[in-house]
Amino acid sequence: MKLMMITVGKLKEKYWLDAVKEYQKRISKYAKIELIEVADEKEPNNAGEKDLEQIKDKEAERILSKIKETQHVVTLEINGKEYTSEKLAQEYQRWMNIGKSDVVFVIGGSNGIGDAVKKRSNQEISFGSLTYPHQMMKVMLLEQLFRVNKILRNEAYHK
């Protein structure tokens, strides 16, 4: 399996960077994984709805420039489908079975994901209706991808 994760914004805090590196190392035993960060757009003070849409559109252009036509794109969205870890493992296995072995996960910026990326998305998943910082979502998604691979191989996972 070849995995790519595209996120908006750069991780700066050491604790997030350390967590990402750790899970990237763990996942690399099971799949090739590439992490791409695209620049976030500066948000002006008192930004209105139109300003926020323009920001998401510019970030969407950056995201789409990294995605190949043949890749299966999964966006993380509040309104996406929720999975248990076991059901996500089954979905991951399904992707492999139907030849979707080049999967891109997209985590948008603080204002969400632009419409152009949503249109390109093949699938939307959700980690629930709570709002999380996108830095935390990066770590949470990596942890779940590691967990999925452990589940599929019937390997023990620390609790």
Side-chain angles (χ1 to χ4, degrees):
M1 188 71 126
K2 184 178 176 190
L3 305 172
M4 179 188 287
M5 183 184 300
I6 302 173
T7 56
V8 175
K10 189 167 183 68
L11 286 182
K12 297 175 187 96
E13 297 87 353
K14 184 177 179 341
Y15 54 93
W16 292 129
L17 291 167
D18 289 346
V20 166
K21 284 179 190 171
E22 178 61 28
Y23 281 109
Q24 188 175 16
K25 181 178 84 175
R26 290 180 187 193
I27 292 167
S28 69
K29 295 175 186 172
Y30 305 103
K32 182 180 178 194
I33 184 158
E34 181 181 5
L35 305 179
I36 297 174
E37 295 177 334
V38 299
D40 55 347
E41 196 65 23
K42 298 284 186 246
E43 185 177 325
N45 291 338
N46 302 319
E49 194 62 37
K50 187 174 182 180
D51 296 318
L52 297 180
E53 287 304 315
Q54 288 175 340
I55 288 169
K56 290 192 296 187
D57 289 345
K58 288 178 184 176
E59 292 171 349
E61 287 177 28
R62 293 180 188 126
I63 292 167
L64 291 172
S65 74
K66 306 296 183 188
I67 298 173
K68 296 176 190 159
E69 192 174 310
T70 57
Q71 291 175 306
H72 184 75
V73 177
V74 179
T75 49
L76 272 67
E77 301 183 46
I78 288 175
N79 296 321
K81 182 174 180 181
E82 290 187 41
Y83 291 89
T84 63
S85 295
E86 292 77 14
K87 292 288 185 190
L88 185 58
Q90 290 173 5
E91 186 66 4
Y92 187 95
Q93 182 67 56
R94 186 183 74 80
W95 295 334
M96 289 191 290
N97 292 346
I98 62 172
K100 303 286 183 191
S101 59
D102 191 355
V103 179
V104 178
F105 294 90
V106 177
I107 300 173
S110 58
N111 295 303
I113 296 176
D115 288 339
V117 174
K118 289 181 180 185
K119 287 178 185 159
R120 173 59 181 89
S121 178
N122 301 105
Q123 198 165 352
E124 303 82 30
I125 65 172
S126 175
F127 277 51
S129 57
L130 295 173
T131 302
Y132 300 99
H134 54 282
Q135 301 95 323
M136 184 180 290
M137 281 310 307
K138 186 172 188 174
V139 173
M140 290 170 59
L141 177 58
L142 286 167
E143 189 279 335
Q144 283 301 301
L145 291 172
F146 174 64
R147 185 180 297 265
V148 156
N149 280 284
K150 298 291 267 185
I151 290 168
L152 290 176
R153 288 163 182 81
N154 292 317
E155 295 176 3
Y157 187 89
H158 68 281
K159 297 189 182 212

